[in-house]
Amino acid sequence: MSFKTNDCQQLSFDDSFMTLTERERKALEKSWAKVFADEIFPAIDEERFAVLYSDKASRPNAPVNVIIGALIIKELFDYSDDEIVENLMLDLHLQYALHTTSFAEQPISDKTLSRFRKRCYDYETLHGVDLYRDCVKELSNKIAKMMKLNGRIRRMDSIMIESNIRFLSRMELIYTCISKLVVYLSKNHSEKLPAQLERYTDANDYNRLFYHQRNDDMDQIIQMLLTDCDCLLELCKSDFEEVTEYQLFVRCLSDQTVVENEKRRLRTKEDGTMNSSALQNPSDPDATYRNKSGKLHRGYVANIEETVGQNGSVVTDYQFDKNTHTDSHFLQESLSAMEKSEEEIILVTDGGYDGQDNIALAKEKNVKLITTALIGKEAPDALADFEFNEDGTRLLKCAAGHEPISQSFTKSTRQCRVSFERNHCAGCPYQDQCRPKIYKKVASFITSKNASNRARSQRYMQSEEFSNLAKLRNGVETVPANIRKNYHLDKLPRGKQRGKFFFGSKIAALNFRKLFGFRKGLGNYAQNPILA
């Protein structure tokens, strides 16, 4: 299939739109479809996706901008693939929004969307480039410009996303992995399957084993499962290393069992804690385990960056990963991918994004990182007035303006051990905060640039500017709730790659709704002096 851009961008004389009455035209132009048709559809860059198609002459592709527009509208109205295809044939709103009113037959079919997603998945797997995420980001930034948001003030937050999988006990997990591998063998290599493993191909065996047995039989069942595991390993050896079912089976055994004295048993605490990346359910191998704020999560985490201005807000960037990915790592990745800004950007986050390395990286990009909470021990206020050299290896002056007479720097802890003349520290008004050890001739204590920066952050948190920024950040908390409620966030397809693709469509739909609200004159942030 060769790539071709969509030439049908303008209305033609035989267009179905031309047959509408004046009243019908006015109703259509007052609807969401008018804003989508005039501002979103033309902003979709088709050329980005040319690499997904052949450069040889062949049957042309379905219009990419129609496909992407349909993916956004699909999330906007919670349509399935079949519903968006059917509604595009029958609903003039959709045809007008996607510039297809002149088509004799609508250009997407029941397989168009799934095939396009598959092409994007394969390209990302092969080249490490997520074309669809790049497209959504570019479109989001264009929406921000349409709403006259200059990007000077941004806010960031993360959201936990549960994988649509059932919780499995350790026994159930091992059984399920055995069963999937046995079913694969029975379909493709039935001659190799021993009689003792044929029970796993019976759909009712699971219920008989786990729900029709007494608790006293559990040890016996565990031993039977482990014996069958060893039988499968011997049967498969190295012949099935490329088979997904075998890979999951081996991963499960590595996570859940150990071999001791040539006998397999379940892993215990004494063998080492199972890490959070352990297989949770073979139906979603990418899902990971995390305990956050006292709640258990199995699945993924998304990070959103929202640009804020007087006219509203737009999610201009997003990330999606396994839920073991921390807020701090998301921020580092976002800043690393960012070009240095000519105008200072204010990025407001919660305490999870804090850290001296993050602050330093933000400064390199001309980003002022404001965290509304600090994690860890409070630093004495006097340290805010300490002066260090650029890399923090030397203290230049203390809060009282005195220079150390000697000092040393410990690289591993990034701390300075400093000594002052005794009379400079004894009786100093900041003595209770620095808490030096007073000797006969000198006074010494340990400090660091990190502690000084933390004290400055604490002092800044008492200012009126910080108070206004903190209030502004609270608005980003509504985005996860909005996506979860209105865009069915917890019903994402299984798998990190697929989940990220669908999440991107939800972000694009959310941003369009913000643009439509802006065009209708709904909502602004002008009351906050930071945005004035």
Side-chain angles (χ1 to χ4, degrees):
M1 183 177 288
S2 62
F3 176 77
K4 181 183 178 183
T5 56
N6 184 6
D7 298 327
C8 300
Q9 303 286 340
Q10 304 296 328
L11 296 177
S12 60
F13 287 109
D14 59 348
D15 200 291
S16 61
F17 179 79
M18 298 299 183
T19 64
L20 297 178
T21 66
E22 187 66 22
R23 183 183 178 189
E24 289 170 336
R25 287 189 188 183
K26 286 183 178 180
L28 186 58
E29 291 181 348
K30 286 182 179 179
S31 71
W32 65 269
K34 174 69 173 175
V35 178
F36 198 100
D38 290 352
E39 305 199 52
I40 300 300
F41 189 82
I44 298 172
D45 179 16
E46 291 185 281
E47 294 288 349
R48 181 191 307 277
F49 298 92
V51 293
L52 301 181
Y53 301 93
S54 172
D55 55 1
K56 297 179 181 179
S58 57
R59 181 170 62 89
N61 61 293
V64 171
N65 49 7
V66 174
I67 294 174
I68 293 174
L71 288 169
I72 297 172
I73 295 172
K74 173 180 173 293
E75 297 298 335
L76 197 63
F77 296 104
D78 193 27
Y79 291 150
S80 66
D81 281 8
D82 290 339
E83 287 172 335
I84 188 67
V85 171
E86 181 179 331
N87 287 331
L88 182 57
M89 291 189 290
L90 303 174
D91 190 340
L92 190 60
H93 286 94
L94 270 65
Q95 295 176 18
Y96 186 73
L98 298 177
H99 292 220
T100 62
T101 51
S102 62
F103 283 65
E105 185 174 345
Q106 294 305 307
I108 64 173
S109 64
D110 57 341
K111 297 295 184 182
T112 303
L113 301 182
S114 59
R115 287 171 179 165
F116 177 77
R117 285 192 287 258
K118 180 67 163 53
R119 288 175 185 271
C120 291
Y121 299 158
D122 292 344
Y123 187 85
E124 182 183 3
T125 300
L126 189 61
H127 299 282
V129 177
D130 187 347
L131 296 174
Y132 190 68
R133 177 175 177 267
D134 292 342
C135 175
V136 172
K137 280 181 60 180
E138 182 183 53
L139 192 58
S140 299
N141 281 287
K142 288 179 179 178
I143 291 175
K145 289 180 179 179
M146 295 173 195
M147 294 174 61
K148 297 180 174 58
L149 307 177
N150 63 13
R152 185 178 66 89
I153 297 179
R154 306 176 188 179
R155 53 194 184 190
M156 187 175 282
D157 197 18
S158 62
I159 175 173
M160 304 298 291
I161 301 172
E162 299 303 311
S163 176
N164 188 21
I165 54 176
R166 188 169 70 88
F167 170 72
L168 298 177
S169 67
R170 299 175 70 184
M171 287 175 55
E172 290 175 311
L173 179 60
I174 294 172
Y175 178 94
T176 304
C177 289
I178 294 174
S179 177
K180 286 182 176 293
L181 180 55
V182 169
V183 169
Y184 170 83
L185 292 173
S186 69
K187 290 180 179 179
N188 300 279
H189 304 277
S190 57
E191 73 283 356
K192 288 189 173 185
L193 195 65
Q196 75 180 77
L197 299 178
E198 289 180 356
R199 58 176 296 174
Y200 293 98
T201 61
D202 182 359
N204 295 318
D205 183 62
Y206 180 92
N207 287 336
R208 286 197 297 265
L209 188 65
F210 287 99
Y211 301 121
H212 297 168
Q213 297 288 343
R214 296 177 302 175
N215 291 336
D216 296 343
D217 298 330
M218 288 298 105
D219 290 341
Q220 184 179 350
I221 293 173
I222 291 172
Q223 194 54 52
M224 179 201 70
L225 293 175
L226 296 180
T227 300
D228 291 343
C229 286
D230 289 331
C231 178
L232 271 175
L233 285 174
E234 179 64 24
L235 177 67
C236 295
K237 293 184 178 178
S238 60
D239 298 335
F240 297 89
E241 290 180 350
E242 301 302 317
V243 177
T244 300
E245 288 81 359
Y246 179 73
Q247 293 171 350
L248 293 173
F249 169 72
V250 172
R251 178 182 167 188
C252 174
L253 290 188
S254 176
D255 291 338
Q256 303 294 338
T257 69
V258 293
V259 177
E260 186 177 65
N261 298 326
E262 299 184 354
K263 186 176 180 180
R264 188 174 300 278
R265 61 172 176 80
L266 289 180
R267 186 181 291 272
T268 64
K269 291 182 180 180
E270 287 72 23
D271 300 311
T273 305
M274 290 176 286
N275 61 46
S276 57
S277 62
L279 182 68
Q280 302 297 309
N281 189 312
S283 298
D284 191 353
D286 293 333
T288 49
Y289 167 85
R290 184 175 178 182
N291 187 331
K292 183 177 181 181
S293 301
K295 294 184 66 176
L296 306 182
H297 301 274
R298 289 177 174 82
Y300 304 92
V301 61
N303 191 64
I304 54 175
E305 182 180 299
E306 194 177 26
T307 295
V308 190
Q310 291 186 15
N311 296 323
S313 63
V314 170
V315 178
T316 47
D317 195 6
Y318 68 93
Q319 296 152 280
F320 191 97
D321 215 312
K322 297 177 180 180
N323 67 13
T324 51
H325 216 69
T326 65
D327 292 349
S328 180
H329 288 148
F330 275 129
L331 178 60
Q332 290 171 17
E333 291 171 0
S334 178
L335 291 172
S336 297
M338 182 188 299
E339 296 290 336
K340 184 174 181 179
S341 174
E342 293 182 3
E343 182 183 13
E344 184 184 61
I345 294 171
I346 297 176
L347 179 60
V348 192
T349 69
D350 63 25
Y353 298 87
D354 189 29
Q356 296 306 314
D357 290 340
N358 292 352
I359 293 172
L361 182 56
K363 188 176 180 180
E364 290 178 14
K365 304 293 183 175
N366 199 18
V367 175
K368 184 177 182 180
L369 181 62
I370 306 295
T371 54
T372 57
L374 298 176
I375 298 174
K377 186 179 178 181
E378 185 175 344
D381 180 71
L383 296 186
D385 297 319
F386 277 38
E387 295 181 24
F388 287 83
N389 63 354
E390 186 65 27
D391 55 7
T393 57
R394 290 187 62 80
L395 175 65
L396 305 179
K397 288 182 181 180
C398 71
H402 301 303
E403 297 180 9
I405 57 175
S406 66
Q407 59 183 297
S408 61
F409 177 72
T410 303
K411 189 174 182 180
S412 59
T413 61
R414 301 195 59 79
Q415 292 179 321
C416 295
R417 183 179 182 85
V418 295
S419 296
F420 291 85
E421 292 183 13
R422 185 182 189 281
N423 62 333
H424 285 163
C425 292
C428 175
Y430 303 111
Q431 182 178 349
D432 291 342
Q433 296 184 56
C434 300
R435 302 179 68 180
K437 291 184 177 179
I438 308 294
Y439 301 99
K440 288 184 178 180
K441 295 183 179 181
V442 299
S444 64
F445 57 91
I446 295 174
T447 187
S448 69
K449 187 174 183 177
N450 286 351
S452 178
N453 289 338
R454 186 178 185 84
R456 288 194 183 100
S457 297
Q458 292 170 184
R459 185 178 291 179
Y460 177 69
M461 290 172 73
Q462 308 302 318
S463 68
E464 183 179 353
E465 180 185 46
F466 176 84
S467 177
N468 290 325
L469 287 170
K471 292 175 184 177
L472 193 66
R473 189 216 161 266
N474 293 338
V476 77
E477 300 283 358
T478 65
V479 177
N482 189 353
I483 300 176
R484 195 180 299 280
K485 178 182 177 181
N486 297 319
Y487 299 94
H488 307 289
L489 188 59
D490 291 326
K491 293 184 180 179
L492 287 178
R494 294 168 182 167
K496 173 186 167 183
Q497 195 177 53
R498 297 177 69 211
K500 180 172 60 171
F501 189 100
F502 278 75
F503 184 78
S505 295
K506 295 178 190 297
I507 291 296
L510 173 68
N511 285 339
F512 168 70
R513 185 161 286 179
K514 288 174 177 286
L515 174 65
F516 183 65
F518 169 70
R519 291 299 182 218
K520 295 299 180 181
L522 304 175
N524 63 72
Y525 294 85
Q527 69 276 11
N528 195 314
I530 290 293
L531 301 176

